[in-house]
Amino acid sequence: MSTATSAFPLATPGAGRLRRLSTFLWRHSRLFTLLLLLPPLLWLGIVYLGSLLALLAHSFFRLDSFTGQIVYEFTLATWYELLSQPANLDIIRRTAGMAAAVTLACGLIGFPIAYYAARFSTPRGKALFYLGVMLPLWSSYLVRVYAWKLILAKEGVISWAAERTGTSWLLDALLSLPVVGGPSLSISYIGMFLVFTYIWLPYMILPTQAALERVPPSLLEAAADCGARPRQTFRYVVLPLAFPGIVAGSIFTFSLTLGDYIIPYIIGTSKLFLGQAVYIHQGTAGNVPLAAAFSVVPIVIMAVYLAVARRLGAFDAL
Amino acid sequence: MRSERAGLGLRIAAAGGLLYLHLPIAFILLYAFTTEDKSYQFPPPGLTLKWFAVAWNRQDIWDALWLSVEVALVATALAILLGTLAAAALWRARFFGRDAITLLIVLPIALPGIITGIALRSTFGLLDIPFSFWTIVTGHATFCIVVVYNNAIARLRRTSPSLLEAAMDLGADGFQTFRWVLLPNLATALLAGGMLAFALSFDEVIVTTFTAGQQTTLPIWMLSELVRPRQRPVTNVVAVFVIAVTFLPILLAYRLTRGTESMHGTGK
C-alpha cells in the first residue's frame, strides 16, 4: 500500500511524516478513539461535571448568618433549612403543580397537531407542519415571552377582544377566581400557565408525532378488519402505541417548567417559583448553599420522573 | 396518501393549536410600529416608523449586539470542534461507558438551564475566576456541543464505512481520507449544526445571567427592558431583529439537512 501512487491530489513532499502518523493511528485504533474523545471529554468532565459536583458540594456547606460568609464545613443545616420551612415547601409544591398542569395542557393541545401531521397530511404538508413546530421551538425564547406580555397586558388585545365581543364579564369572573386569578392576566397564574404552555408546546408535539409516525398502517387496517370502529381503533391501538411518545414529550415540558425563572419573573404574581428561589438566594442574598440545595430539588424530581418514564417505555420514543 | 380524511373536530383542533403557536409573534411586529410608548394599548393609537431610527442610534443596543455575536461565534466554533470529535469517536468505536458519555453530552440541555448556570457560577466563585467574555463563552459552548454532536452523528451513521475503506485502498492516508472523503460528506451537517448552535447561543439568557457579571448581551439587554421598560417600542424593534437573525439560520439548517432527519428539534 505504501508503494502505490496516490490517487489523491495531496502528494506534497512533507506528507511522509503525516502518512506515518496516520498509519500509526490506523493501527492503534483504540488510541485514536481515545485521542478523539479526549478534548470533548475533558471539557464536559471538568467544566460541566466538575461544576455540577461543586454545586452539590455547596448544598452541604452553610452560610454564616452573622458574617455573611460561606462556612466550608460539612453540615446538613442548609438542607434542614430548606425542608423545615413551610415557605420553601410551598415553593416546591407550587412549581411542581404548575409543571404538572402545563404538561397536561401541552399533551391535550399538542396531540391533535401531532396526530393530524402524522396521519392525514401529504408529504409536503408534513414538511410545513415540521417547520411550523420547529420555528417557534428554535426562535428566541425571550421574544416569545415578551409577545405574551403584550397580549396579556390589562390594556392589551385580550381585554380589547373581550370588550368588543361583550365577554368582559367572563374575563372578570376568571380573574376573580381565588387562587389562580389576579388584577390582570399578566399578573396571575392563569397568564403564567398560558405562557408556559405556549413556550414548551413544541417539545411535546415532536416526540408525540414521531411515535405516531411509527404506528404501522397495517395495524389500523387489521383493527378495522376485526370489526373495531374508528373510535375503538384509536382508543385501543393508536393511543397505547403513541403513549411512550407523549411521556417522552412530558419529560421536556415538566423539566423545563421546573427550572424556568424568567417566565414567573416577567409574568405572574410575586409568589416565588423554584427557579426564582435559586436565582434570588444566590444573587441578592448571596446564600449560595441554600441556592444549591434548592437547585438539587428539580434534579431529584426529574430523576424520579425519568425512572417512571423509563418504565413506561419513553426512552425508546426519544 | 390516505383515502380517509380527518374529522372536522381534529382539523379545528390542529389548526387552532398551530395558530396558538404562531399568532403571538405577530403582535411583536405590530407593536414595533405603535406611537404609544408608555403602555401596551390595543389597538395601537397610531403607526410610525420612528422607533427603527431611535433603535439604530442607541449605542447600548449596538454594544450588546456585538457582544452577543462575538460570544455566539466563538462558542459555535468551540462546539463544532468538540461536538465533531465526540461524534467521530462514538461513531467508530463501541466501548465500555459509551452510553455514559452520550448522557454527559446531552445533560447540559436535559437539565434545566438554571442548574448549568448556577453550577458554573459557584465554580467560578470557588476558583476566584472573574466574570469575563470567556466565562460567557464557557457556558454557551457547553450546551452547544450537543447540537453539533446530534447533527454530526446522524450524518456519520448514514455514511458507509466502505467509502473510507475504498479511499484507503486507493492509496489515501488517513488525513487525505478525512479531507477528501469524510469532510465533504459531513460538511452540510456541520454547517447545519453550527447554525443551530449559533441561534441557540445568540438568544440564550438563562445560563448567561449567571456567567456574565456586569456585561450585557442582547438577550440580557432585552430582559432588563422587559423588567423595567423605558421606550417599549424600541424593545419591539430589537425583538423583530432577533426573530429575523434566528429564523434565517434555522431555515438554512433545515434546507441543509432536509430528508436526513438529522435536525432533531427535541435535542434543543
Side-chain angles (χ1 to χ4, degrees), chain A residues 19 33 130 132 146 155 194 261, chain B residues 22 40 92 171 209 236 263:
Chain A
R19 181 163 276 257
T33 304
Y130 184 67
Y146 181 44
E155 68 276 12
L194 280 173
Y261 72 95
Chain B
H22 288 270
Y40 301 117
R92 68 191 298 276
T209 46
N236 283 74
M263 186 173 140

Side-chain angles (χ1 to χ4, degrees), chain B residues 152-175:
Chain B
I153 198 142
R155 181 65 58 87
L156 283 172
R157 283 194 188 124
R158 298 185 334 121
T159 305
S160 164
S162 55
L163 262 181
L164 308 186
E165 283 162 18
M168 292 188 138
D169 283 350
L170 291 171
D173 65 34
F175 296 101

Side-chain angles (χ1 to χ4, degrees), chain B residues 14 19 58 66 186:
Chain B
L19 212 60
R58 285 268 293 268
W66 289 131
L186 211 55

Side-chain angles (χ1 to χ4, degrees), chain B residues 21 26 35 40 42-43 47-48 72 109-110 122 135-136 140 171 175 187-188 195 211 216 220 234 240 249:
Chain B
L21 272 180
T35 49
Y40 301 117
F42 188 90
L47 299 176
T48 171
I109 49 163
S122 59
T135 52
I136 308 180
H140 283 204
F175 296 101
T188 52
M195 283 183 179
T211 56
T216 307
I220 292 202
V234 172
V240 170

Side-chain angles (χ1 to χ4, degrees), chain A residues 1 10 19 22 29 33 43 51 116 119 130 132 137-138 140 142 146 150 155 160 194 198 261 275 282, chain B residues 2 4 20 22 39-40 42-43 92 114 121 123 142 168 171 174 176 203 209 219 226 236 250 263 268:
Chain A
M1 209 176 128
L10 254 192
R19 181 163 276 257
S22 104
S29 178
T33 304
W43 179 282
S51 298
Y116 188 93
R119 279 207 62 201
Y130 184 67
L137 176 73
W138 281 92
S140 173
L142 213 51
Y146 181 44
L150 305 174
E155 68 276 12
W160 176 82
L194 280 173
Y198 166 76
Y261 72 95
Q282 67 83 33
Chain B
R2 221 171 272 275
E4 52 185 315
Y20 175 55
H22 288 270
S39 74
Y40 301 117
F42 188 90
R92 68 191 298 276
I114 193 165
R121 182 176 191 128
T123 306
T142 303
M168 292 188 138
Q176 288 171 322
D203 76 50
T209 46
L226 290 196
N236 283 74
I250 297 159
M263 186 173 140
K268 182 171 176 180

Side-chain angles (χ1 to χ4, degrees), chain A:
Chain A
M1 209 176 128
S2 57
T3 53
T5 43
S6 172
F8 289 82
L10 254 192
T12 46
R17 206 177 300 156
L18 274 180
R19 181 163 276 257
R20 248 175 291 146
L21 177 64
S22 104
T23 311
F24 175 79
L25 289 177
W26 178 253
R27 292 225 175 98
H28 299 80
S29 178
R30 287 187 156 267
L31 178 73
F32 185 37
T33 304
L34 187 70
L35 282 179
L36 285 175
L37 204 54
L38 213 53
L41 209 56
L42 282 179
W43 179 282
L44 286 169
I46 294 176
V47 174
Y48 187 66
L49 216 52
S51 298
L52 276 185
L53 292 177
L55 177 71
L56 194 66
H58 260 108
S59 73
F60 292 104
F61 301 144
R62 68 186 172 85
L63 190 79
D64 191 310
S65 49
F66 290 110
T67 58
Q69 298 291 316
I70 299 169
V71 182
Y72 292 102
E73 286 166 12
F74 178 82
T75 170
L76 288 173
T78 304
W79 277 101
Y80 180 76
E81 186 185 351
L82 172 72
L83 297 174
S84 65
Q85 288 184 7
N88 290 342
L89 293 177
D90 274 349
I91 292 175
I92 296 172
R93 258 197 300 268
R94 189 178 302 135
T95 313
M98 178 61 85
V102 167
T103 299
L104 200 65
C106 282
L108 288 178
I109 301 174
F111 192 84
I113 302 177
Y115 191 56
Y116 188 93
R119 279 207 62 201
F120 298 106
S121 61
T122 56
R124 205 185 146 73
K126 209 164 271 188
L128 275 177
F129 260 105
Y130 184 67
L131 267 184
V133 178
M134 284 303 279
L135 276 179
L137 176 73
W138 281 92
S139 64
S140 173
Y141 159 85
L142 213 51
V143 168
R144 293 192 299 141
V145 176
Y146 181 44
W148 280 90
K149 200 176 162 81
L150 305 174
I151 294 169
L152 297 175
K154 209 178 180 68
E155 68 276 12
V157 64
I158 289 189
S159 308
W160 176 82
E163 217 166 275
R164 279 302 169 92
T165 54
T167 48
S168 289
W169 59 270
L170 189 67
L171 188 61
D172 290 338
L174 212 58
L175 285 175
S176 60
L177 288 175
V179 179
V180 295
S184 83
L185 276 176
S186 60
I187 316 176
S188 71
Y189 286 146
I190 301 176
M192 200 193 289
F193 166 77
L194 280 173
V195 181
F196 267 132
T197 308
Y198 166 76
I199 298 280
W200 308 135
L201 184 57
Y203 290 89
M204 177 62 91
I205 297 176
L206 289 173
T208 308
Q209 187 186 342
L212 284 167
E213 303 262 8
R214 280 197 290 266
V215 177
S218 56
L219 224 55
L220 307 181
E221 282 159 22
D225 287 348
C226 292
R229 274 167 292 154
R231 195 173 293 257
Q232 287 173 313
T233 309
F234 179 79
R235 169 68 188 79
Y236 294 106
V237 179
V238 176
L239 211 52
L241 286 172
F243 190 65
I246 301 174
V247 176
S250 79
I251 295 172
F252 292 102
T253 55
F254 198 85
S255 157
L256 290 165
T257 312
L258 275 188
D260 195 282
Y261 72 95
I262 304 269
I263 293 173
Y265 188 36
I266 292 174
I267 288 159
T269 63
S270 56
K271 292 228 171 87
L272 291 183
F273 276 68
L274 256 180
Q276 285 172 293
V278 174
Y279 185 72
I280 288 171
H281 282 300
Q282 67 83 33
T284 45
N287 193 345
V288 180
L290 188 57
F294 256 118
S295 62
V296 175
V297 173
I299 301 182
V300 172
I301 296 179
M302 280 323 292
V304 174
Y305 199 102
L306 287 174
V308 176
R310 189 175 198 151
R311 283 252 166 133
L312 296 172
F315 283 27
D316 309 323
L318 274 176

Side-chain angles (χ1 to χ4, degrees), chain B residues 39 137 200 251:
Chain B
S39 74
V137 168
L200 192 57
L251 283 174

